[in-house]
Amino acid sequence: MAFNPGGRQLTLIKAIVVALALLPFVRMAWLTVSGRLVEPIEFITRATGDWTLYFLCIALAVTPLRRLTSWNWLLKLRRMLGLFAFFYAVLHFTTFLWFDHFFDLAAMWKDVLKRPFITVGFSAFVLLIPLALTSTKGMQRRLGGKRWMWLHRLVYLIAPLGILHFWWMKAGKNDFIEPIAVGSVLALLLGARIYWAWYRSRSTAGAA
């Protein structure tokens, strides 16, 4: 069934998405300020990392969902969802830099080089930065469509690096349920994109 929201409806949908996307942050802040957490730093670190991965998966789900439903307006939410992934990644990194190292950059860098799971997570965060900085239509025009598209394909590397970071972190606790669940969703989303690219190239070759 076709669903094509107009200007006001789309604005309302975006407002709802923003409100829902900020709920985890509001919950984290409230639980921390109210003193309800036994280990607030551990909770914030884990929650911000989790939501970074969740929003990466949600952003990656936009294109397959659009193709299944023909709801082209979903593409107008993708940039916002990707920026919320970056928002929670910044919070995750800030927690690591602030509470673990008290803004000691030398100590942080030593930790990044020494501990592989932090190396992987830090690499994913650094790769996210140019995607966030070039997410606007103005930057897309400056880079040109093809270069912008190739740059933003870094997300196909960033997301697996995030899953690896998550897996490595959970390995110390012998808890693999969440990494397997999120990794399976990511594999499904990336698999759908690979299939679509293969199908499109096959159709193009057949038409030629």
Side-chain angles (χ1 to χ4, degrees):
M1 182 178 179
F3 176 58
N4 297 306
R8 290 185 178 180
Q9 287 178 313
L10 189 58
T11 299
L12 178 60
I13 290 171
K14 286 182 177 180
I16 292 171
V17 170
V18 169
L20 291 175
L22 287 174
L23 275 180
F25 171 73
V26 172
R27 178 174 177 267
M28 281 182 256
W30 181 74
L31 289 174
T32 302
V33 172
S34 64
R36 293 172 178 265
L37 300 173
V38 177
E39 296 288 345
I41 297 174
E42 181 181 351
F43 173 79
I44 294 171
T45 302
R46 185 180 69 249
T48 52
D50 288 351
W51 281 103
T52 300
L53 288 175
Y54 297 159
F55 275 105
L56 276 175
C57 288
I58 294 170
L60 285 170
V62 168
T63 297
L65 186 58
R66 177 186 68 86
R67 287 171 179 156
L68 287 172
T69 61
S70 297
W71 292 355
N72 293 326
W73 59 270
L74 287 172
L75 292 177
K76 296 181 180 180
L77 303 179
R78 187 170 58 185
R79 181 170 72 94
M80 182 193 303
L81 294 168
L83 287 174
F84 271 113
F86 182 67
F87 169 71
Y88 283 104
V90 169
L91 292 179
H92 188 64
F93 173 73
T94 302
T95 303
F96 167 68
L97 178 61
W98 184 358
F99 296 111
D100 285 3
H101 298 94
F102 300 100
F103 296 102
D104 186 336
L105 295 179
M108 182 210 73
W109 185 244
K110 184 177 179 180
D111 209 13
V112 168
L113 296 177
K114 182 180 178 181
R115 304 168 72 183
F117 89 94
I118 295 180
T119 306
V120 170
F122 182 75
S123 300
F125 174 68
V126 169
L127 290 173
L128 263 178
I129 294 173
L131 270 63
L133 293 178
T134 60
S135 63
T136 63
K137 291 182 179 179
M139 286 303 300
Q140 186 175 357
R141 286 194 298 269
R142 289 179 188 177
L143 289 172
K146 287 187 178 180
R147 282 187 292 179
W148 185 88
M149 187 180 298
W150 278 107
L151 175 63
H152 280 253
R153 283 176 179 170
L154 280 174
V155 72
Y156 302 141
L157 173 61
I158 292 166
L161 285 176
I163 295 296
L164 180 59
H165 170 69
F166 193 25
W167 178 282
W168 232 327
M169 184 183 67
K170 288 287 189 177
K173 301 177 182 179
N174 201 29
D175 179 12
F176 298 106
I177 295 176
E178 286 183 87
I180 289 174
V182 181
S184 298
V185 171
L186 176 63
L188 182 63
L189 292 172
L190 294 182
R193 286 171 175 265
I194 292 170
Y195 171 78
W196 177 255
W198 169 81
Y199 180 80
R200 186 169 55 182
S201 64
R202 185 181 177 186
S203 299
T204 303

